[in-house]
Amino acid sequence: MSSNKPTNNNKPWTKNEVTRLEQLATHNTPTGLIAHKLGRSEAAVYSKAASEEISLKPTNQSPYSLRRK
């Protein structure tokens, strides 16, 4: 049987991962997708974002650049 645990389960966060978390959060990426891209659980992403003071709240912007000209 295979485990459904994330690939980085219980591993320390690297500086590169924290930077990527910050970039993804800034670009309105959903938390579940951030977790998937980083190989972490959503709970781990929420926890790390809180400890690094990174907001996961979406900004009032479209992530797809659909502005009318």
Side-chain angles (χ1 to χ4, degrees):
M1 291 194 308
S2 68
S3 175
N4 288 335
K5 290 184 181 178
T7 56
N8 289 322
N9 190 43
N10 290 328
K11 292 182 182 175
W13 286 74
T14 65
K15 289 181 183 180
N16 190 25
E17 288 175 318
V18 174
T19 300
R20 181 110 164 109
L21 169 61
E22 190 170 19
Q23 290 170 344
L24 291 167
T26 301
H27 289 97
N28 291 335
T29 306
T31 308
L33 185 55
I34 293 173
H36 177 75
K37 287 185 176 203
L38 296 176
R40 303 278 180 176
S41 68
E42 283 189 57
V45 170
Y46 280 116
S47 178
K48 190 61 174 178
S51 71
E52 296 289 328
E53 297 182 359
I54 299 170
S55 175
L56 294 175
K57 292 182 180 179
T59 58
N60 196 14
Q61 297 176 346
S62 170
Y64 301 108
S65 300
L66 297 175
R67 296 182 201 181
R68 292 184 179 183
K69 294 182 179 182

